[in-house]
Amino acid sequence: MLKFLLPVVLLMKLKDDWKSAQMGLGLLSFLVGLSCFHNMYMYSLGFNLGMDYVSYIMVYLSVWIMFLIVISSERVKMMNNFSGMFILVNLVLLFSLLVTFSSLNYLLFYIMFEMSLIPTLILILGWGYQPERIQAGVYMLFYTLSLSLPLLGSLLYIYMKEYSLVMMLSNLILEVSWANSIWYFSSVMAFLVKLPMYMFHLWLPKAHVEAPVAGSMILAGVLLKLGGYGLIRVLLMFQKISLNFSSLWVSISLVGGVVVSLLCMRQVDMKSLIAYSSVVHMSMVLCGLMIFSWWGLMGAVVVMVGHGLCSSGLFCLANMVYERVGSRSLLVSKGLLNFMPSMGLWWFLFSVGNMAAPPTLNLFGEISLIISLMSWSTFTVMGIMFLSFFSAAYTLYMYSLSQHGIFVSSLYSCSSGKVREYLVLFLHWFPLNMLILNLNLVNGV
């Protein structure tokens, strides 16, 4: 693992040289891509760090999204808006994510899980757009921290019982009882907020709307996956208890997903709409993880990767429109096909990806999740039916309202897109559609 962590630390020295940091992250993502060449269960072991398939996929996603963030945040460098500090904050965030995903110790995982919050907060407060970013930052901080403290208590209690916090080694599988149920809830809640589950999702749209493009991309691309990854790791100990509460989580997620889908249909802020659509996708992931089936786990991992790439690309597109039009409102930035014709194709491709059409990863992931939910209970078909329909509906609403219509006459003509922007969009789209050709990687989870 040190071969991934040391380059990130060394890149922090190059924070004032934007191009070198960009090249370094590109080479690092290439290096991470080369490392998965065998089928061993755990590898790259040492220093309490190591990877299996799920953590490898998440590490690769983190490095890739961070590489794309630096390319798409060129405006920070152009405006000379503390670009050195911007690179440093992003690299610290990447470091904390890499350690989180490759940690073999629950306490180290918890510390790094919480540490990733600080750079994200600095990104929102330092490079956000409106004065409301302070409120959004406080929302995010307190939602996450207030429910993380019980998790720390739970981990310390596990240490007291088992004398070890090493993942995979503790034989602790708890029996069903009232005390153990409280213990289970205190362990799981921190990840449900991060995921975010419906009812704990209020911090997410605020954080997305106020964050700069880098903050939105890392939030949608990687930070939401911390919740799903944490559940995969922690639920090993609570299998018997969690099965008792499966129906609770699935019903909240499906009903919440439909409600949030309806909420998406009346959003006028582009970023807000994409943020709420993240809640819908993650509710499906939560269903897959909580019913303990192979299809559920596989579908959840695939949807996490697909959503990370697709949502990040949509935030990129929204930012490109914002930089030209000066507004994220769908009422002001409509008729973009007349204004930026070449971008229309990318809007279409990412919208199609967002509604899980072939050949995207989202399609395979959602089919797997639907299979797992249907085999768990045929009654869930009602929720899945509405959720799938409204997912397509709000994506079409976003696409048609932004691309069609007469554009505002106050807009002046400008470039349809720079090569850099098309490169970022292509690097989001290519893995999203091509990884479906090699799903053996995910099947080996």
Side-chain angles (χ1 to χ4, degrees):
M1 267 315 293
L2 284 181
K3 67 177 177 287
F4 301 148
L5 295 175
L6 280 174
V8 177
V9 176
L10 291 172
L11 278 172
M12 290 177 193
K13 292 285 285 178
L14 296 170
K15 65 180 192 299
D16 295 318
D17 188 352
W18 188 279
K19 288 237 174 355
S20 300
Q22 200 168 302
M23 281 290 291
L25 281 168
L27 287 170
L28 180 61
S29 59
F30 179 67
L31 176 70
V32 177
L34 286 179
S35 80
C36 190
F37 54 84
H38 49 64
N39 293 323
M40 288 163 61
Y41 185 57
M42 294 291 288
Y43 59 101
S44 290
L45 292 165
F47 298 98
N48 249 344
L49 302 172
M51 291 193 293
D52 64 352
Y53 272 108
V54 182
S55 44
Y56 169 73
I57 291 166
M58 291 300 151
V59 163
Y60 201 177
L61 184 68
S62 307
V63 179
W64 188 248
I65 295 288
M66 192 56 73
F67 169 52
L68 297 178
I69 280 171
V70 178
I71 302 177
S72 61
S73 299
E74 200 88 1
R75 190 181 171 91
V76 174
K77 179 174 161 252
M78 276 163 44
M79 307 288 284
N80 204 13
N81 189 7
F82 300 99
S83 57
M85 184 56 85
F86 179 81
I87 292 282
L88 181 65
V89 168
N90 276 310
L91 286 172
V92 170
L93 179 53
L94 178 61
F95 181 83
S96 67
L97 286 169
L98 292 187
V99 178
T100 307
F101 287 131
S102 57
S103 168
L104 296 182
N105 185 298
Y106 279 116
L107 194 61
L108 179 62
F109 171 75
Y110 173 81
I111 291 165
M112 285 303 179
F113 176 78
E114 291 306 316
M115 181 186 152
S116 64
L117 190 67
I118 300 163
T120 317
L121 193 65
I122 294 169
L123 272 176
I124 292 172
L125 295 182
W127 287 272
Y129 299 120
Q130 280 95 1
E132 287 88 25
R133 63 180 185 264
I134 298 166
Q135 186 197 9
V138 169
Y139 249 68
M140 187 179 81
L141 189 71
F142 280 94
Y143 257 95
T144 312
L145 283 183
S146 58
L147 286 163
S148 293
L149 197 60
L151 174 63
L152 179 62
S154 163
L155 293 178
L156 295 176
Y157 188 59
I158 290 167
Y159 187 66
M160 189 180 85
K161 297 266 284 187
E162 286 284 304
Y163 308 109
S164 167
L165 279 173
V166 178
M167 291 180 191
M168 317 286 181
L169 286 188
S170 60
N171 297 319
L172 189 67
I173 294 182
L174 300 169
E175 296 302 320
V176 181
S177 72
W178 269 106
N180 286 347
S181 297
I182 294 167
W183 187 5
Y184 163 71
F185 275 100
S186 65
S187 304
V188 161
M189 281 317 220
F191 303 119
L192 295 182
V193 168
K194 204 75 168 177
L195 199 59
M197 188 179 89
Y198 180 69
M199 295 195 300
F200 298 107
H201 69 285
L202 292 175
W203 64 272
L204 185 75
K206 283 181 180 295
H208 270 307
V209 168
E210 302 306 328
V213 63
S216 288
M217 283 171 73
I218 199 71
L219 261 173
V222 187
L223 288 176
L224 299 190
K225 280 65 196 172
L226 274 175
Y229 178 78
L231 284 174
I232 292 171
R233 292 293 181 229
V234 167
L235 286 177
L236 283 171
M237 294 181 287
F238 297 100
Q239 291 172 31
K240 290 183 180 175
I241 303 169
S242 191
L243 281 170
N244 276 7
F245 292 106
S246 290
S247 50
L248 171 72
W249 302 127
V250 171
S251 51
I252 288 175
S253 296
L254 287 178
V255 173
V258 174
V259 171
V260 174
S261 298
L262 290 169
L263 201 60
C264 282
M265 298 284 285
R266 52 184 297 277
Q267 293 299 316
V268 287
D269 188 322
M270 218 181 273
K271 258 190 162 181
S272 185
L273 198 156
I274 303 164
Y276 275 114
S277 79
S278 295
V279 179
V280 179
H281 284 107
M282 289 296 116
S283 67
M284 288 287 283
V285 168
L286 181 62
C287 289
L289 290 176
M290 285 298 186
I291 57 182
F292 288 96
S293 74
W294 178 252
W295 278 98
L297 173 65
M298 193 168 69
V301 173
V302 176
V303 167
M304 283 198 285
V305 176
H307 169 263
L309 292 163
C310 184
S311 206
S312 179
L314 280 168
F315 278 116
C316 255
L317 279 165
N319 181 64
M320 288 167 198
V321 173
Y322 180 69
E323 283 179 0
R324 286 163 173 73
V325 179
S327 168
R328 288 190 310 266
S329 169
L330 283 165
L331 302 173
V332 175
S333 55
K334 60 183 180 183
L336 291 175
L337 265 179
N338 305 319
F339 183 56
M340 301 165 68
S342 309
M343 276 297 172
L345 172 68
W346 290 104
W347 271 103
F348 171 73
L349 290 173
F350 281 107
S351 298
V352 157
N354 201 40
M355 64 169 87
T360 54
L361 278 179
N362 289 350
L363 173 78
F364 176 77
E366 289 203 10
I367 287 173
S368 304
L369 288 172
I370 289 167
I371 289 169
S372 67
L373 278 169
M374 290 283 288
S375 61
W376 180 74
S377 165
T378 46
F379 191 64
T380 55
V381 71
M382 293 301 291
I384 293 166
M385 191 170 66
F386 285 115
L387 211 144
S388 300
F389 174 75
F390 287 124
S391 285
Y394 67 69
T395 309
L396 277 172
Y397 158 73
M398 175 181 73
Y399 176 75
S400 58
L401 199 62
S402 63
Q403 299 306 302
H404 298 287
I406 300 167
F407 66 96
V408 180
S409 55
S410 61
L411 295 179
Y412 53 87
S413 179
C414 71
S415 79
S416 182
K418 302 186 177 98
V419 175
R420 169 181 64 82
E421 293 172 338
Y422 289 124
L423 175 68
V424 172
L425 294 171
F426 176 76
L427 292 178
H428 275 109
W429 176 84
F430 187 75
L432 176 65
N433 286 268
M434 292 303 146
L435 279 177
I436 201 161
L437 298 175
N438 184 20
L439 284 169
N440 297 335
L441 181 69
V442 182
N443 292 337
V445 169

